[in-house]
Amino acid sequence: QLKNNTIIVVLGASGDLAKKKTYPALFGLYRMGFLPNDVKIVGYARTKMDDAEYHKRITSYIKKPEGDAEFDGALEKFKGFSSYISGGYDDSESFANLNAALEKIESEYKSKGKNRVFYLALPPSVFIPVAKHLKEQCHVAEGSNRLIIEKPFGKDLESARELLSSVKEHWTEDETYRIDHYLGKEMVKNLLVLRFANVALNAAWDKNSISNVQITFKEPFGTEGRGGYFDEFGIIRDILQNHLMQVLSILTMERPVSFSAEDIRDEKVKVLRAIPPIEREDTLLGQYVGANGKPGYLDDDTVPRNSNCPTYAATTLWIHNPRWEGVPFILKAGKALNEAKVEIRIQFKDVTQGIFKDISRNELVMRIQPAEAVYLKLNTKTPGLQTRAIPTEMDLTYKRRFTDAKIPEAYESLILDALKGDHSNFVRHDELDVAWKIFTPILHWIDGQNGPKPTPVPYPYGSRGPKEVEAFITKYGFKRQATE
Ligand code: BG6
């Protein structure tokens, strides 16, 4: 399904995203043999540099794993089909130059057809002009044209609609690939299989068996130099509205009619539409303060002194449909916490009282990162002569179970999908629209658009988050379990 005659153009080639994600993923795909045979990569950015300097940068973007004897040779070959052209983001002449450079490469093709993939590793302020100029100058008539874009897709419902419709003036939905990199993560992709290929799980997947669900994102570092960006967006726009909502929608949607991109996304949209906007009372906001030698959020020079921007948020959503009525879905995300962890925790209901007392609830945990795992907390009889139940775990830790598997990076998986023209793991315009509807009122409240701004509660850098979190999750029915 990979097309020959493909050029991948990375716009913003000297930026942070290209450096940390795009180039390492392209190189990873190349090494696994998943780039088209005759692919060419063209970097584009404002910085003026020649190919030699650009190749030096690529070398610095890609880390050499220890003991990898073939790495150097592969990287040389990769650089051999990567070139660079500099230009602006808002003048048609620059894009006419880019087009001329692409045509020069294409003039050597032996077969017909041109396939151009434009990866916008760019700040949102230039999305619209770049989308416009690319369409006008670099869109090919014979072949395929693909535009890959990254969040932030707007700041609220209205701005997202504006952005989407401006891009749509130039690029069709079919040509557009909106990345939410959580959709490329192995465990998120596994959700479809876990849910729909297991009768045992599927049968318990509803309000009759499930008490509450938590989707948690924890990061052990603060804004660290990204304060300028972060303060404009905050943790809700950065993590909850996109990454955690994507996870939620796959976790709760009905079974799609098929694996096709449209069938899957139809079901995701349907379940999102059953979620009303978040209420203030269902939200807890936090902001980290300096502790243990680490700076607080407000100590970041790029953050305004009196910012009320939340770096932590917990919020509970409700799905009004027959499967989920009454089940709280608690989304929690925070920066500068005690650990790095992203997980889904489904807590089942109590067993009916009778023969057992004080029995722990079952929990199914899907750990997205680090160390992918699925484990189910079960009660079992203590081995021996007494009849006592103890909580224990059925544990599917990937590293132990799939010892030889190489788990792809999210970006590798997504770029490959885009090269194949598969939209399943990209965000459709209506998914975005409905996710913004759910979050816009609470965001406007936080931004002070209709009254005084709420003040987030402080929590120390490196802690588990605001101490109020425990009471918050308990309020929605989460019971902390006895451990073995
Ligand atoms: C990005 C956010 O979308 O996701 C960052 O902008 C965050 O703030 C990152 O650090 C987390 O991604 P991952 O893959 O490390 O969980």
Side-chain angles (χ1 to χ4, degrees):
Q1 277 168 310
L2 290 174
K3 295 185 177 185
N4 285 334
N5 301 355
T6 292
I7 305 181
I8 302 170
V9 186
V10 181
L11 295 109
S14 50
D16 211 43
L17 180 68
K19 174 173 157 185
K20 289 196 182 130
K21 300 289 183 190
T22 320
Y23 276 96
L26 287 169
F27 181 64
L29 284 175
Y30 170 62
R31 289 208 68 189
M32 290 184 281
F34 283 118
L35 287 186
N37 292 332
D38 58 356
V39 72
K40 297 279 184 297
I41 295 171
V42 175
Y44 181 93
R46 274 190 296 231
T47 318
K48 291 210 166 29
M49 60 180 145
D50 57 15
D51 277 355
E53 170 61 25
Y54 168 68
H55 289 160
K56 232 192 266 168
R57 291 206 186 191
I58 294 185
T59 311
S60 73
Y61 294 171
I62 301 167
K63 273 196 218 84
K64 178 175 177 171
E66 252 175 68
D68 186 344
E70 281 150 36
F71 179 91
D72 293 332
L75 187 58
E76 281 318 300
K77 283 196 191 133
F78 181 79
K79 289 191 279 190
F81 56 81
S82 301
S83 56
Y84 180 80
I85 168 161
S86 75
Y89 294 129
D90 199 6
D91 63 299
S92 54
E93 204 185 313
S94 291
F95 287 87
N97 278 343
L98 172 63
N99 188 51
L102 300 181
E103 280 181 346
K104 189 157 170 267
I105 295 173
E106 287 161 344
S107 65
E108 287 166 22
Y109 287 163
K110 294 187 185 62
S111 57
K112 262 177 76 175
K114 301 169 177 179
N115 300 296
R116 295 182 175 181
V117 178
F118 300 100
Y119 190 116
L120 272 55
L122 292 170
S125 52
V126 297
F127 277 0
I128 297 173
V130 169
K132 170 175 176 280
H133 292 303
L134 279 175
K135 175 66 195 279
E136 286 170 1
Q137 304 293 338
C138 302
H139 194 273
V140 290
E142 210 179 327
S144 68
N145 302 274
R146 291 178 185 157
L147 186 77
I148 304 181
I149 50 177
E150 291 263 352
K151 82 168 174 64
F153 304 116
K155 291 188 70 182
D156 59 7
L157 182 61
E158 203 186 320
S159 55
R161 281 186 175 165
E162 251 172 57
L163 176 76
L164 254 54
S165 63
S166 308
V167 174
K168 265 173 182 265
E169 274 174 37
H170 310 289
W171 293 82
T172 64
E173 185 68 23
D174 198 45
E175 290 171 332
T176 310
Y177 294 77
R178 294 181 201 91
I179 287 198
D180 182 312
H181 77 285
Y182 267 60
L183 290 175
K185 293 194 186 259
E186 185 68 22
M187 189 54 73
V188 176
K189 293 174 84 175
N190 188 22
L191 283 175
L192 271 183
V193 179
L194 277 178
R195 285 197 55 195
F196 299 116
N198 293 300
V199 175
L201 289 186
N202 199 319
W205 215 259
D206 61 18
K207 64 179 183 206
N208 299 320
S209 303
I210 293 176
S211 160
N212 61 83
V213 177
Q214 291 182 67
I215 306 177
T216 307
F217 169 100
K218 296 172 85 178
E219 240 173 22
F221 47 85
T223 47
E224 263 89 331
R226 272 174 94 220
Y229 153 81
F230 193 86
D231 201 71
E232 211 187 310
F233 290 87
I235 195 77
I236 295 185
R237 294 184 180 94
D238 195 43
I239 306 290
L240 278 87
Q241 183 271 348
N242 36 68
H243 303 327
L244 301 194
M245 285 307 276
Q246 284 296 338
V247 173
L248 178 76
S249 60
I250 302 174
L251 192 75
T252 56
M253 69 182 182
E254 294 302 311
R255 189 174 85 171
V257 176
S258 79
F259 264 123
S260 83
E262 296 324 318
D263 284 340
I264 293 174
R265 297 185 299 176
D266 283 350
E267 290 305 334
K268 286 166 72 186
V269 170
K270 221 187 276 171
V271 75
L272 291 178
R273 286 178 55 209
I275 304 177
I278 294 161
E279 302 284 342
R280 294 175 194 186
E281 305 74 65
D282 286 332
T283 305
L284 170 70
L285 304 172
Q287 190 182 74
Y288 65 90
V289 294
N292 311 315
K294 297 283 194 176
Y297 179 66
L298 298 180
D299 300 328
D300 186 324
D301 285 341
T302 53
V303 167
R305 285 295 80 99
N306 58 351
S307 170
N308 77 326
C309 175
T311 60
Y312 182 98
T315 185
T316 302
L317 282 75
W318 306 91
I319 303 176
H320 293 303
N321 69 14
R323 183 187 287 277
W324 296 117
E325 195 71 56
V327 179
F329 288 86
I330 308 164
L331 309 188
K332 300 186 296 191
K335 298 245 167 205
L337 297 178
N338 59 330
E339 60 181 343
K341 195 195 282 177
V342 181
E343 65 169 34
I344 305 166
R345 183 173 296 264
I346 298 179
Q347 188 170 68
F348 291 88
K349 291 192 163 171
D350 287 317
V351 282
T352 39
Q353 295 299 309
I355 53 173
F356 294 115
K357 265 210 318 273
D358 299 330
I359 217 91
S360 290
R361 289 178 169 180
N362 291 144
E363 276 181 20
L364 176 68
V365 180
M366 286 158 274
R367 190 161 64 224
I368 296 171
Q369 65 194 34
E372 291 80 356
V374 182
Y375 56 94
L376 178 62
K377 294 193 177 186
L378 292 174
N379 295 300
T380 195
K381 183 180 121 23
T382 345
L385 293 174
Q386 339 92 306
T387 303
R388 193 167 66 87
I390 51 159
T392 179
E393 279 169 14
M394 264 167 60
D395 183 0
L396 171 61
T397 294
Y398 274 36
K399 271 208 191 94
R400 281 202 293 271
R401 177 63 183 79
F402 306 112
T403 40
D404 295 333
K406 177 188 177 308
I407 297 185
E409 287 294 322
Y411 277 86
E412 292 172 347
S413 164
L414 293 177
I415 293 174
L416 179 61
D417 283 350
L419 289 172
K420 287 182 181 163
D422 180 353
H423 279 87
S424 312
N425 292 310
F426 293 90
V427 186
R428 206 167 64 184
H429 69 104
D430 48 349
E431 280 183 81
L432 265 181
D433 199 85
V434 63
W436 277 120
K437 273 189 194 148
I438 297 169
F439 283 90
T440 293
I442 202 90
L443 288 166
H444 283 177
W445 170 58
I446 295 168
D447 293 346
Q449 289 197 16
N450 31 29
K453 294 180 177 180
T455 311
V457 295
Y459 62 94
Y461 195 120
S463 67
R464 297 165 62 101
K467 59 180 184 333
E468 290 79 355
V469 178
E470 194 63 23
F472 183 86
I473 56 179
T474 309
K475 179 168 106 185
Y476 296 102
F478 177 73
K479 267 199 200 166
R480 202 154 283 287
Q481 304 296 294
T483 41
E484 243 171 282

